[in-house]
Amino acid sequence: MDPYKLLSRSTNLSKGRPKQSRRVAPSDGPPSHPQLFASRDEAASSTLGKRKRDTVRKEADPEDFFNERGKENGSSARQKLESVVGGALDEENDDAEDEGRSQPRMRLSIEERKSILHQHKVKVTWLNSQQLLHPTKRPKGKKVKAEKPRHRLFPEPLQALRNLGQLYGVSGQLQRNIIDQSYDDATEVQLAAIPLLLNTAKENIPELAGSTEKLKIDLLAVAPTGSGKTLAFLIPLLHSVISRRHQASQTEHQTSAIILAPTKELAAQITNEGRKLAKGCGVTVSQMRKGLKLPTRSSSTKETTDDSQDVDDVESTGSVLRADIIVSAPGLLQNAMAECRDLSWQIHHMILDEADVLLDPAFREQTLDIWNALNEPELRVSLWSATMGSNIEDLARSTIDERSQRLASTSTPAPLVRLVVGLKDSAVPNVSHQLIYAATEKGKLMGLRQLLHPTTTTKGASQSLRPPFLIFTQTVERAIALNSELLYDVPAEAGGSSRIAVLHSDLSDTARDSIMTRFRKGEIWVLITTDLLSRGVDFRGVNGVVNYDIPTSSAAYVHRIGRTGRAGRDGGVAVTLYSKEDMPYLKHVANVVSMAQKQQGTEGGVDDWLLAALPKLSKRDKKNLKTHGIESRTARGQIKDPKAARQSRISTKAGFVRRVENNRKGAILGSQRRAQINLRTADDDDEEGEFGGFD
Ligand SMILES: Nc1ncnc2c1ncn2[C@@H]1O[C@H](COP(=O)(O)OP(=O)(O)OP(=O)(O)O)[C@@H](O)[C@H]1O
């Protein structure tokens, strides 16, 4: 029996699909092209040095079910690199600087750069140009008014990642690691961000060409979900750390970079990516874990922790984390920093991934605490996200500004550059959206079952969802309740309840890791979760996202649905189920969907009449919704309005049936309790009856 067929009953499966194989079933989707806004050919023809590009065949990585890149592919890319470099890439030919110097640099005219950047919808703006070009004496204590962005910049776009060594002197080993993972075309964010971060400011900003300082920039980068931001910050970071170690002939690992991410899952993913890229480069990338300590001047090298050390070990020994790059959630790092007085590190780079969350009230204090504690004058900061409100941008700008004022005597202010790919705060363009009205909570459950097991193929009716897919709920309790409702919906022949799982913050770290691994391997097909997984987490083959509870802000919608359609993959579906209760809060979702439809030139997500009819939320209501969600679905709502809370409970059973069941359960428990009491009394009686002897 074909398990895939079972899970997608009544859908027309293509005849050519290979039979059986767990590997083939869920993630067997359409191929992807990592660039979102310009076709490969257009992009290629617009460069000066037009190169032939082979279509890279994607292979499965045995460890990661959704990861299509493999070693074979890596070696073919490597052959390509060798043909470009004009010789075999032998291990000795490792000196990046030499390689860079011997190769002519690619130079594009400003017009050509403009045209490529325009094609890829990349906009680069220099935000503090006035401050740097016309520094005037500021009266002390007065806040500087945010300067209006004036300068557009046109960095030289990097078309292919295989040119990194040739153009920017990236180390041969780092280049090989990139190639071995089959990264070839640079995505939009990479083609602009990598040159901006690898070159000094004066090479990117013509106005600074006369300056003698080798300034690096601070960066605010906003690019769609799944567009490769991780690689865009990791490559320049690793290059910088490798060069610094090389220059200082350092043998010990000394932390010089911090990457902050809002969740442990995302931190683990970044660490993993970092390690793959840093393999053989002599640079260590480690994740901060509970119980680990930061290196102080007095801590001995014996305590050094190894990356492979078990979490429990770490917790019990309280080892010291010695790594060149530390990846962490802000709370963990803040605590570790608070415990150490004389930290021996010198942080030159701080990266905030999902910066808008890290600077949101929930994490703001922790993030700013860490940021302000870093006193290295040359600290360069970059902030990355798919969404960034103007308030977050202002906060970042003022923090950078205050810091440079505080360290004015030792530091030189750096250019602050903003990079935006596509339309700011919009959904990834290759995902199709569906808003489904389900009237009630029970209707939503039925709607979800219809997606799991479609019973009709009528045109216009909601489509089925090809596993694997993610389902988002508002709270942990609802995720658990939905999981127990759906647990037996997958037939035993297709793996049964093992195909569905729930992941939330109340689970232990080990359980969370295990579920993530099983989902990546394709053992779990439907993963129910909360917003814990809505940010940054990359499952390459996820075919769809279901918003069982509507997201509480437009940014939350953009990030949730961004778990599908990664790396330019087509065919991703985002379904939002909404009930009558959701109607007052739907406008922000409908706006994003409508904008995405307009961009794609498609129909079906949201009708104009619905958009016009939906009520607009006041600023206060929006804030409330963002912090608390829809009240009846929370513990607070249960106390405030028990009736509404009962109605929004996730269950297919009627109240009467639930009451009968509860009564029965209560009766069973009661009789068990009574039996135990009887048993105990009988024992006591027996004991009393026995002669215990004289004292
Ligand atoms: N140049 C490239 N070519 C092919 N695939 C790429 C390239 N760069 C990144 N990818 C792949 O794209 C996927 C998404 O990358 P990444 O997780 O960095 O996205 P992101 O922009 O950080 O997304 P999010 O906003 O959701 O955090 C990953 O699977 C990554 O391996």
Side-chain angles (χ1 to χ4, degrees), residues 32-35 58 66-67 69 161 178 181-190 223-233 266 269 273 276 353-354 384-387 534-540 558-559 562-563 566-568:
S32 64
H33 183 263
Q35 293 179 341
K58 310 280 179 188
F66 300 144
N67 193 347
R69 299 184 310 276
L161 294 172
I178 296 167
Q181 288 186 63
S182 313
Y183 294 123
D184 190 15
D185 292 315
T187 63
E188 274 82 4
V189 64
Q190 291 161 6
T225 50
S227 63
K229 292 187 283 296
T230 316
L231 217 62
F233 62 71
L266 184 52
Q269 185 181 294
E273 278 294 304
K276 282 194 256 172
D353 195 14
E354 306 299 340
W384 305 76
S385 185
T387 51
S534 68
R535 293 263 183 170
V537 184
D538 182 54
F539 303 113
R540 298 196 98 221
V558 168
H559 286 276
R563 298 315 98 208
R566 315 266 312 156

Side-chain angles (χ1 to χ4, degrees), residues 42-92:
E42 277 171 13
S45 63
S46 62
T47 57
L48 260 191
K50 188 180 168 190
R51 271 169 237 104
K52 267 194 184 172
R53 293 170 191 205
D54 303 340
T55 317
V56 179
R57 191 167 64 85
K58 310 280 179 188
E59 275 285 314
D61 174 347
E63 279 309 303
D64 186 350
F65 180 53
F66 300 144
N67 193 347
E68 295 157 331
R69 299 184 310 276
K71 286 199 170 134
E72 200 180 305
N73 188 16
S75 63
S76 79
R78 188 171 169 150
Q79 280 161 12
K80 267 200 285 179
L81 171 68
E82 288 174 349
S83 73
V84 172
V85 174
L89 261 178
D90 56 347
E91 305 301 316
E92 281 101 68

